[in-house]
Short mmCIF file of all heavy atoms in Angstrom, two decimals:
data_model
loop_
_atom_site.label_atom_id
_atom_site.label_comp_id
_atom_site.label_asym_id
_atom_site.label_seq_id
_atom_site.Cartn_x
_atom_site.Cartn_y
_atom_site.Cartn_z
N PRO W 386 22.93 -6.48 -16.69
CA PRO W 386 22.64 -7.82 -16.19
C PRO W 386 21.54 -7.79 -15.14
O PRO W 386 21.28 -6.73 -14.55
CB PRO W 386 23.97 -8.23 -15.55
CG PRO W 386 24.59 -6.94 -15.11
CD PRO W 386 24.17 -5.90 -16.12
N PRO W 387 20.90 -8.95 -14.86
CA PRO W 387 19.87 -9.00 -13.82
C PRO W 387 20.45 -8.62 -12.46
O PRO W 387 21.64 -8.81 -12.24
CB PRO W 387 19.42 -10.46 -13.82
CG PRO W 387 19.96 -11.07 -15.06
CD PRO W 387 21.13 -10.25 -15.50
N PRO W 388 19.64 -8.06 -11.56
CA PRO W 388 20.16 -7.63 -10.26
C PRO W 388 20.57 -8.84 -9.44
O PRO W 388 20.03 -9.92 -9.61
CB PRO W 388 18.96 -6.93 -9.63
CG PRO W 388 17.78 -7.55 -10.27
CD PRO W 388 18.19 -7.95 -11.66
N THR W 389 21.52 -8.63 -8.53
CA THR W 389 21.98 -9.74 -7.68
C THR W 389 20.93 -10.08 -6.64
O THR W 389 20.80 -11.21 -6.24
CB THR W 389 23.30 -9.38 -6.99
OG1 THR W 389 23.17 -8.06 -6.49
CG2 THR W 389 24.45 -9.45 -7.97
N SER W 390 20.17 -9.07 -6.20
CA SER W 390 19.17 -9.35 -5.16
C SER W 390 17.78 -9.30 -5.76
O SER W 390 17.40 -8.33 -6.43
CB SER W 390 19.29 -8.31 -4.03
OG SER W 390 18.08 -7.63 -3.85
N GLY W 391 17.01 -10.35 -5.56
CA GLY W 391 15.61 -10.34 -6.00
C GLY W 391 14.71 -9.94 -4.86
O GLY W 391 13.51 -10.17 -4.89
N ARG W 392 15.30 -9.32 -3.84
CA ARG W 392 14.55 -8.98 -2.65
C ARG W 392 13.44 -7.97 -2.98
O ARG W 392 13.64 -7.04 -3.75
CB ARG W 392 15.48 -8.33 -1.62
CG ARG W 392 15.11 -8.60 -0.19
CD ARG W 392 16.32 -8.35 0.69
NE ARG W 392 16.74 -6.95 0.66
CZ ARG W 392 16.15 -6.02 1.38
NH1 ARG W 392 15.15 -6.31 2.17
NH2 ARG W 392 16.57 -4.78 1.32
N ILE W 393 12.26 -8.18 -2.40
CA ILE W 393 11.14 -7.30 -2.67
C ILE W 393 11.16 -6.19 -1.64
O ILE W 393 11.12 -6.43 -0.44
CB ILE W 393 9.82 -8.09 -2.56
CG1 ILE W 393 9.87 -9.32 -3.45
CG2 ILE W 393 8.64 -7.21 -2.92
CD1 ILE W 393 10.10 -9.07 -4.91
N GLU W 394 11.26 -4.95 -2.13
CA GLU W 394 11.47 -3.84 -1.19
C GLU W 394 10.29 -2.89 -1.08
O GLU W 394 10.34 -1.95 -0.32
CB GLU W 394 12.71 -3.04 -1.63
CG GLU W 394 13.96 -3.89 -1.68
CD GLU W 394 15.11 -3.16 -2.37
OE1 GLU W 394 15.00 -1.94 -2.58
OE2 GLU W 394 16.09 -3.81 -2.70
N ALA W 395 9.23 -3.06 -1.88
CA ALA W 395 8.12 -2.12 -1.81
C ALA W 395 7.46 -2.23 -0.43
O ALA W 395 7.21 -3.34 0.04
CB ALA W 395 7.10 -2.41 -2.90
N PRO W 396 7.16 -1.09 0.20
CA PRO W 396 6.62 -1.15 1.55
C PRO W 396 5.29 -1.88 1.62
O PRO W 396 4.96 -2.47 2.64
CB PRO W 396 6.47 0.32 1.93
CG PRO W 396 6.59 1.10 0.66
CD PRO W 396 7.37 0.27 -0.28
N GLY W 397 4.55 -1.87 0.52
CA GLY W 397 3.25 -2.52 0.55
C GLY W 397 3.32 -4.00 0.29
O GLY W 397 2.31 -4.69 0.31
N GLN W 398 4.53 -4.52 0.03
CA GLN W 398 4.65 -5.92 -0.33
C GLN W 398 4.64 -6.77 0.94
O GLN W 398 5.64 -7.36 1.31
CB GLN W 398 5.91 -6.16 -1.14
CG GLN W 398 5.90 -5.43 -2.48
CD GLN W 398 4.84 -5.97 -3.41
OE1 GLN W 398 3.72 -5.47 -3.45
NE2 GLN W 398 5.14 -7.00 -4.14
N LEU W 399 3.51 -6.83 1.59
CA LEU W 399 3.39 -7.60 2.82
C LEU W 399 3.49 -9.07 2.47
O LEU W 399 3.13 -9.49 1.37
CB LEU W 399 2.05 -7.31 3.49
CG LEU W 399 1.78 -5.83 3.78
CD1 LEU W 399 0.38 -5.64 4.33
CD2 LEU W 399 2.81 -5.29 4.76
N ALA W 400 3.94 -9.88 3.44
CA ALA W 400 4.11 -11.32 3.16
C ALA W 400 2.78 -11.93 2.74
O ALA W 400 2.71 -12.73 1.81
CB ALA W 400 4.66 -12.01 4.40
N SER W 401 1.69 -11.56 3.44
CA SER W 401 0.38 -12.08 3.05
C SER W 401 -0.35 -11.04 2.24
O SER W 401 -0.53 -9.91 2.67
CB SER W 401 -0.44 -12.43 4.29
OG SER W 401 -1.80 -12.58 3.93
N HIS W 402 -0.77 -11.42 1.04
CA HIS W 402 -1.38 -10.44 0.13
C HIS W 402 -2.10 -11.24 -0.94
O HIS W 402 -1.87 -12.44 -1.06
CB HIS W 402 -0.26 -9.62 -0.49
CG HIS W 402 -0.69 -8.23 -0.90
ND1 HIS W 402 0.13 -7.15 -0.75
CD2 HIS W 402 -1.82 -7.75 -1.44
CE1 HIS W 402 -0.49 -6.07 -1.19
NE2 HIS W 402 -1.67 -6.41 -1.62
N TYR W 403 -2.94 -10.60 -1.73
CA TYR W 403 -3.61 -11.26 -2.85
C TYR W 403 -4.33 -12.52 -2.36
O TYR W 403 -4.43 -13.51 -3.08
CB TYR W 403 -2.61 -11.70 -3.93
CG TYR W 403 -1.61 -10.64 -4.30
CD1 TYR W 403 -0.30 -10.70 -3.83
CD2 TYR W 403 -1.99 -9.58 -5.11
CE1 TYR W 403 0.62 -9.72 -4.17
CE2 TYR W 403 -1.07 -8.60 -5.45
CZ TYR W 403 0.22 -8.68 -4.98
OH TYR W 403 1.12 -7.71 -5.31
N ALA W 404 -4.79 -12.53 -1.12
CA ALA W 404 -5.15 -13.80 -0.51
C ALA W 404 -6.62 -14.13 -0.64
O ALA W 404 -7.49 -13.31 -0.37
CB ALA W 404 -4.77 -13.75 0.97
N PRO W 405 -6.94 -15.38 -1.05
CA PRO W 405 -8.32 -15.82 -1.00
C PRO W 405 -8.75 -15.97 0.46
O PRO W 405 -7.90 -16.06 1.34
CB PRO W 405 -8.31 -17.17 -1.71
CG PRO W 405 -6.89 -17.57 -1.87
CD PRO W 405 -6.02 -16.42 -1.50
N SER W 406 -10.05 -16.06 0.68
CA SER W 406 -10.55 -16.12 2.06
C SER W 406 -10.49 -17.55 2.59
O SER W 406 -11.12 -17.87 3.58
CB SER W 406 -11.98 -15.60 2.11
OG SER W 406 -12.77 -16.32 1.19
N LYS W 407 -9.74 -18.45 1.93
CA LYS W 407 -9.54 -19.80 2.45
C LYS W 407 -8.08 -20.21 2.29
O LYS W 407 -7.36 -19.60 1.50
CB LYS W 407 -10.45 -20.81 1.77
CG LYS W 407 -11.08 -20.43 0.46
CD LYS W 407 -11.89 -21.56 -0.13
CE LYS W 407 -13.37 -21.23 -0.12
NZ LYS W 407 -14.13 -22.03 -1.09
N PRO W 408 -7.66 -21.25 3.02
CA PRO W 408 -6.25 -21.65 2.92
C PRO W 408 -5.87 -22.07 1.51
O PRO W 408 -6.66 -22.67 0.79
CB PRO W 408 -6.17 -22.85 3.88
CG PRO W 408 -7.34 -22.72 4.79
CD PRO W 408 -8.41 -22.02 4.01
N LEU W 409 -4.64 -21.73 1.13
CA LEU W 409 -4.14 -22.04 -0.21
C LEU W 409 -2.84 -22.82 -0.08
O LEU W 409 -1.97 -22.47 0.72
CB LEU W 409 -3.88 -20.72 -0.95
CG LEU W 409 -3.31 -20.86 -2.37
CD1 LEU W 409 -4.42 -21.21 -3.35
CD2 LEU W 409 -2.65 -19.56 -2.81
N ARG W 410 -2.71 -23.90 -0.88
CA ARG W 410 -1.49 -24.72 -0.89
C ARG W 410 -0.88 -24.62 -2.28
O ARG W 410 -1.59 -24.74 -3.27
CB ARG W 410 -1.88 -26.17 -0.57
CG ARG W 410 -0.74 -27.13 -0.36
CD ARG W 410 -1.26 -28.42 0.29
NE ARG W 410 -2.13 -29.18 -0.59
CZ ARG W 410 -1.71 -30.15 -1.42
NH1 ARG W 410 -0.44 -30.46 -1.47
NH2 ARG W 410 -2.57 -30.80 -2.19
N VAL W 411 0.44 -24.36 -2.33
CA VAL W 411 1.09 -24.21 -3.64
C VAL W 411 1.94 -25.43 -3.95
O VAL W 411 2.16 -26.29 -3.10
CB VAL W 411 1.95 -22.92 -3.68
CG1 VAL W 411 1.07 -21.69 -3.54
CG2 VAL W 411 3.01 -22.92 -2.58
N ASP W 412 2.44 -25.52 -5.20
CA ASP W 412 3.30 -26.63 -5.65
C ASP W 412 2.66 -27.99 -5.40
O ASP W 412 3.35 -28.96 -5.07
CB ASP W 412 4.67 -26.57 -4.93
CG ASP W 412 5.44 -25.31 -5.30
OD1 ASP W 412 5.22 -24.78 -6.41
OD2 ASP W 412 6.25 -24.84 -4.47
N ALA W 413 1.35 -28.09 -5.56
CA ALA W 413 0.64 -29.35 -5.29
C ALA W 413 0.73 -30.26 -6.53
O ALA W 413 0.76 -29.79 -7.67
CB ALA W 413 -0.81 -29.06 -4.96
N THR W 414 0.81 -31.57 -6.29
CA THR W 414 0.84 -32.50 -7.43
C THR W 414 -0.53 -33.12 -7.66
O THR W 414 -0.83 -33.58 -8.75
CB THR W 414 1.87 -33.63 -7.19
OG1 THR W 414 1.68 -34.13 -5.86
CG2 THR W 414 3.28 -33.10 -7.34
N ALA W 415 -1.37 -33.14 -6.62
CA ALA W 415 -2.73 -33.66 -6.75
C ALA W 415 -3.57 -33.05 -5.64
O ALA W 415 -3.03 -32.56 -4.64
CB ALA W 415 -2.74 -35.18 -6.63
N ALA W 416 -4.90 -33.09 -5.82
CA ALA W 416 -5.79 -32.48 -4.82
C ALA W 416 -6.07 -33.42 -3.66
O ALA W 416 -6.20 -34.63 -3.86
CB ALA W 416 -7.11 -32.10 -5.48
N GLU W 417 -6.14 -32.87 -2.46
CA GLU W 417 -6.73 -33.58 -1.32
C GLU W 417 -8.25 -33.55 -1.54
O GLU W 417 -8.75 -32.68 -2.28
CB GLU W 417 -6.38 -32.88 0.00
CG GLU W 417 -4.89 -32.70 0.26
CD GLU W 417 -4.21 -34.02 0.62
OE1 GLU W 417 -4.92 -34.93 1.09
OE2 GLU W 417 -3.00 -34.13 0.39
N PRO W 418 -9.00 -34.47 -0.87
CA PRO W 418 -10.45 -34.52 -1.13
C PRO W 418 -11.18 -33.20 -0.87
O PRO W 418 -12.17 -32.90 -1.52
CB PRO W 418 -10.95 -35.60 -0.16
CG PRO W 418 -9.75 -36.39 0.21
CD PRO W 418 -8.54 -35.52 0.04
N ASP W 419 -10.68 -32.38 0.08
CA ASP W 419 -11.40 -31.14 0.41
C ASP W 419 -10.83 -29.92 -0.32
O ASP W 419 -11.10 -28.79 0.06
CB ASP W 419 -11.38 -30.90 1.93
CG ASP W 419 -9.97 -30.68 2.45
OD1 ASP W 419 -9.00 -31.00 1.72
OD2 ASP W 419 -9.83 -30.18 3.58
N GLU W 420 -10.03 -30.16 -1.36
CA GLU W 420 -9.40 -29.03 -2.06
C GLU W 420 -9.97 -28.80 -3.45
O GLU W 420 -10.22 -29.75 -4.20
CB GLU W 420 -7.89 -29.27 -2.19
CG GLU W 420 -7.13 -29.01 -0.90
CD GLU W 420 -5.65 -29.36 -1.05
OE1 GLU W 420 -5.28 -30.15 -1.94
OE2 GLU W 420 -4.85 -28.83 -0.26
N TRP W 421 -10.13 -27.53 -3.80
CA TRP W 421 -10.38 -27.09 -5.18
C TRP W 421 -9.00 -27.01 -5.84
O TRP W 421 -8.11 -26.31 -5.33
CB TRP W 421 -11.06 -25.73 -5.17
CG TRP W 421 -11.25 -25.12 -6.52
CD1 TRP W 421 -10.42 -24.23 -7.15
CD2 TRP W 421 -12.36 -25.33 -7.41
NE1 TRP W 421 -10.95 -23.88 -8.37
CE2 TRP W 421 -12.13 -24.54 -8.55
CE3 TRP W 421 -13.53 -26.10 -7.35
CZ2 TRP W 421 -13.02 -24.49 -9.61
CZ3 TRP W 421 -14.41 -26.06 -8.41
CH2 TRP W 421 -14.16 -25.26 -9.53
N PHE W 422 -8.80 -27.73 -6.94
CA PHE W 422 -7.44 -27.83 -7.49
C PHE W 422 -7.29 -27.04 -8.79
O PHE W 422 -8.00 -27.28 -9.76
CB PHE W 422 -7.09 -29.31 -7.72
CG PHE W 422 -5.64 -29.52 -8.05
CD1 PHE W 422 -4.64 -28.92 -7.29
CD2 PHE W 422 -5.27 -30.32 -9.12
CE1 PHE W 422 -3.29 -29.12 -7.59
CE2 PHE W 422 -3.92 -30.52 -9.43
CZ PHE W 422 -2.94 -29.92 -8.67
N ILE W 423 -6.35 -26.11 -8.76
CA ILE W 423 -6.05 -25.30 -9.95
C ILE W 423 -4.81 -25.90 -10.61
O ILE W 423 -3.71 -25.86 -10.04
CB ILE W 423 -5.79 -23.83 -9.57
CG1 ILE W 423 -7.04 -23.24 -8.87
CG2 ILE W 423 -5.43 -23.01 -10.81
CD1 ILE W 423 -6.83 -21.85 -8.28
N GLY W 424 -4.98 -26.48 -11.78
CA GLY W 424 -3.88 -27.16 -12.46
C GLY W 424 -3.09 -26.22 -13.36
O GLY W 424 -3.39 -25.03 -13.51
N PHE W 425 -2.04 -26.79 -13.95
CA PHE W 425 -1.24 -26.08 -14.95
C PHE W 425 -0.64 -27.12 -15.88
O PHE W 425 -0.11 -28.14 -15.43
CB PHE W 425 -0.11 -25.27 -14.28
CG PHE W 425 0.82 -24.63 -15.29
CD1 PHE W 425 0.45 -23.48 -15.97
CD2 PHE W 425 2.06 -25.20 -15.57
CE1 PHE W 425 1.30 -22.91 -16.91
CE2 PHE W 425 2.91 -24.63 -16.51
CZ PHE W 425 2.53 -23.48 -17.18
N GLY W 426 -0.74 -26.88 -17.19
CA GLY W 426 -0.18 -27.83 -18.16
C GLY W 426 -0.84 -29.19 -18.02
O GLY W 426 -2.06 -29.29 -17.91
N ARG W 427 0.00 -30.24 -17.98
CA ARG W 427 -0.57 -31.59 -17.95
C ARG W 427 -1.11 -31.98 -16.58
O ARG W 427 -1.79 -32.99 -16.43
CB ARG W 427 0.48 -32.61 -18.40
CG ARG W 427 0.39 -32.78 -19.92
CD ARG W 427 1.37 -33.81 -20.38
NE ARG W 427 2.39 -33.17 -21.21
CZ ARG W 427 3.65 -33.56 -21.31
NH1 ARG W 427 4.07 -34.60 -20.63
NH2 ARG W 427 4.48 -32.92 -22.10
N VAL W 428 -0.76 -31.20 -15.54
CA VAL W 428 -1.33 -31.45 -14.21
C VAL W 428 -2.70 -30.77 -14.18
O VAL W 428 -2.80 -29.56 -14.02
CB VAL W 428 -0.42 -30.88 -13.10
CG1 VAL W 428 -1.00 -31.18 -11.72
CG2 VAL W 428 0.99 -31.45 -13.22
N ASP W 429 -3.74 -31.57 -14.38
CA ASP W 429 -5.08 -30.99 -14.56
C ASP W 429 -5.83 -30.96 -13.22
O ASP W 429 -5.46 -31.65 -12.29
CB ASP W 429 -5.85 -31.80 -15.59
CG ASP W 429 -6.80 -30.91 -16.38
OD1 ASP W 429 -6.81 -29.69 -16.14
OD2 ASP W 429 -7.54 -31.45 -17.21
N GLY W 430 -6.90 -30.17 -13.15
CA GLY W 430 -7.67 -30.07 -11.92
C GLY W 430 -9.08 -29.61 -12.19
O GLY W 430 -9.60 -29.80 -13.28
N ASP W 431 -9.72 -28.98 -11.18
CA ASP W 431 -11.04 -28.40 -11.38
C ASP W 431 -10.94 -27.27 -12.39
O ASP W 431 -11.92 -26.87 -13.02
CB ASP W 431 -11.57 -27.84 -10.05
CG ASP W 431 -11.69 -28.92 -9.00
OD1 ASP W 431 -12.54 -29.81 -9.18
OD2 ASP W 431 -10.91 -28.90 -8.02
N ASP W 432 -9.75 -26.71 -12.50
CA ASP W 432 -9.48 -25.56 -13.34
C ASP W 432 -8.08 -25.82 -13.90
O ASP W 432 -7.35 -26.64 -13.34
CB ASP W 432 -9.44 -24.33 -12.43
CG ASP W 432 -9.89 -23.07 -13.12
OD1 ASP W 432 -9.75 -23.00 -14.35
OD2 ASP W 432 -10.36 -22.16 -12.42
N ASN W 433 -7.70 -25.12 -14.98
CA ASN W 433 -6.32 -25.24 -15.46
C ASN W 433 -5.87 -23.87 -15.96
O ASN W 433 -6.53 -23.26 -16.81
CB ASN W 433 -6.23 -26.29 -16.57
CG ASN W 433 -4.78 -26.69 -16.85
OD1 ASN W 433 -3.87 -25.85 -16.80
ND2 ASN W 433 -4.57 -27.96 -17.13
N LEU W 434 -4.76 -23.37 -15.41
CA LEU W 434 -4.29 -22.02 -15.77
C LEU W 434 -3.88 -21.95 -17.23
O LEU W 434 -4.02 -20.90 -17.86
CB LEU W 434 -3.11 -21.61 -14.87
CG LEU W 434 -3.45 -21.38 -13.41
CD1 LEU W 434 -2.19 -21.07 -12.62
CD2 LEU W 434 -4.46 -20.25 -13.26
N SER W 435 -3.35 -23.04 -17.75
CA SER W 435 -3.01 -23.10 -19.17
C SER W 435 -2.73 -24.56 -19.53
O SER W 435 -1.64 -25.06 -19.27
CB SER W 435 -1.77 -22.24 -19.47
OG SER W 435 -1.37 -22.46 -20.81
#
Side-chain angles (χ1 to χ4, degrees):
T389 45
S390 122
R392 212 161 64 81
I393 306 302
E394 301 169 13
Q398 296 294 93
L399 304 175
S401 164
H402 207 142
Y403 313 103
S406 55
K407 18 177 112 159
L409 179 79
R410 188 166 68 91
V411 295
D412 296 333
T414 47
E417 303 288 336
D419 64 344
E420 283 176 338
W421 175 266
F422 190 48
I423 301 172
F425 174 78
R427 271 182 246 149
V428 182
D429 213 2
D431 300 293
D432 211 333
N433 194 323
L434 292 176
S435 173

